[in-house]
Every structure is written in structure tokens, then in C-alpha cells.
Amino acid sequence: MPTNKISKGAGGATSRLPLPGSVEIGPLPMVRGEYFVGDLCYVLGKNSWKELEVLSKAKESKYGTEGQFTLGNGRVLVIFHLPSGDGVYPDQKGRKYSVDSGTIGLTLAEGLETEYGDTDKKEDWDSEISRLGNIIDYKKEFSCMSSTIDHPEVGPVSFMAFGENVLVNSVDELSGIGALRRGVGCSR
């Protein structure tokens, strides 16, 4: 459920979200641990991805699939829609996130390799992860949030915070690079 609260991050830093007139999702609390951050369609198994599609229909925002979900297998994840769609998006530290489902999210990395085994892809797990997203170690509990606003010149723009470790915005899509990675696809 969207909220208009301003969240306090680690060390008491206050997020710049929400933006006036924006659609807000979060803050969504998460436990500490190692997380895969990126397009979850690359790492969730077929059944989990289909379950997420069903669950997300009930939580669809004006801009698409967004929110925090708990799957039947107990996996908790957060997913946000990118209004500019597929591509490669950098975070504030220059790490890149390849996107083919029009969404970016995170979930605990533990158990993903096993779940990934039920996909049709036979690529090496470590190669797949380093190519499509990042493993981020969150030392403390954290919150995720998204703020999307209709910009008068470029249309919807989203700012997403996965704790203070990963900040992504939809206007920083690296044009052209996405086309190189889109061959991977997320058809399930």
C-alpha cells in the first residue's frame, strides 16, 4: 500500500522521497542479508515468476507491478516498475542492472541458485548473476521505496531506493546497452 512517509535510513539519513505529486510505494521493510538486486525474471524459477505475476495483478499501481510480495515457498521480494521499460540501469555507484521485464527488484540470494535450476537456461550461475544484476550485502535491516512522478517533458520518471546501498532512477537508462542484453529475455 502506498505511503507518503519519509523514511529514515541507516545513520538517521532522511530519504528525499516522496516527491510532491508522486505515486509512492513503501517504505517496505526487509531483513539484513545478501540480496540479488536486478530483474527478478532472470533468477526466479518458472513457478515463482508465474506466482508473482498472479499476486502482482492485485497490487498493480498506475505505473505497473510494484510492491512487496511473499511467495508460496516463503520467498520475500520487492519489485518496482520502470516506466521507461527494458534496458540497463546504473545505480549511484555505477553498478549496472539489466532489465527485460520492465521491473527491478530484490530478494535474498540464498536458495536462488537452486530455484534458478528450474529455468530453461543452462548458463553458469555466477556468470548469470554478474551479467544481469548484483549481489548486495545489507548489514542491517533496511527499507525499499519507489517514487514515480509524471515529468512534463519526459513522461513518468521513477526513483527507487533499495536501502541506501542501491539507488536507481528510470531516466539513467543506458540507451543502446540494453539492446545488447535483450537477447537473454524473460519468456517463461
Side-chain angles (χ1 to χ4, degrees):
M1 171 177 274
T3 181
N4 288 320
K5 295 179 183 174
I6 295 177
S7 69
K8 292 263 185 183
T14 303
S15 167
R16 295 190 184 269
L17 301 176
L19 302 171
S22 63
V23 173
E24 305 298 321
I25 306 294
L28 306 169
M30 300 296 285
V31 299
R32 66 187 180 121
E34 283 192 342
Y35 283 80
F36 171 82
V37 182
D39 190 333
L40 298 178
C41 81
Y42 295 130
V43 295
L44 293 178
K46 290 178 187 179
N47 293 336
S48 292
W49 186 252
K50 286 180 183 176
E51 181 181 354
L52 175 61
E53 288 176 336
V54 170
L55 289 171
S56 66
K57 293 292 180 204
K59 277 192 169 180
E60 219 168 76
S61 78
K62 172 181 175 183
Y63 300 104
T65 300
E66 302 190 272
Q68 185 175 48
F69 302 91
T70 302
L71 303 180
N73 62 7
R75 177 167 295 285
V76 177
L77 55 89
V78 169
I79 191 166
F80 297 126
H81 176 74
L82 288 155
S84 35
D86 299 348
V88 177
Y89 297 84
D91 67 16
Q92 83 281 14
K93 294 183 179 180
R95 296 173 294 218
K96 293 178 179 64
Y97 303 88
S98 183
V99 171
D100 270 324
S101 72
T103 64
I104 188 168
L106 87 166
T107 190
L108 281 167
E110 184 178 348
L112 280 179
E113 184 173 5
T114 303
E115 185 165 338
Y116 171 79
D118 82 358
T119 68
D120 293 333
K121 296 178 179 57
K122 302 298 181 205
E123 296 181 48
D124 173 64
W125 173 249
D126 293 330
S127 298
E128 188 77 350
I129 290 299
S130 65
R131 193 165 58 91
L132 301 172
N134 292 281
I135 299 292
I136 308 292
D137 188 11
Y138 290 87
K139 304 281 187 202
K140 299 178 182 179
E141 292 180 350
F142 63 100
S143 292
C144 300
M145 49 192 315
S146 172
S147 181
T148 304
I149 190 163
D150 286 319
H151 188 281
E153 295 175 19
V154 297
V157 176
S158 287
F159 300 91
M160 290 142 287
F162 298 97
E164 293 184 357
N165 295 355
V166 179
L167 307 173
V168 177
N169 73 69
S170 64
V171 294
D172 280 347
E173 192 261 334
L174 302 172
S175 298
I177 295 175
L180 298 174
R181 301 199 183 211
R182 280 198 206 27
V184 174
C186 281
S187 58
R188 298 240 181 231

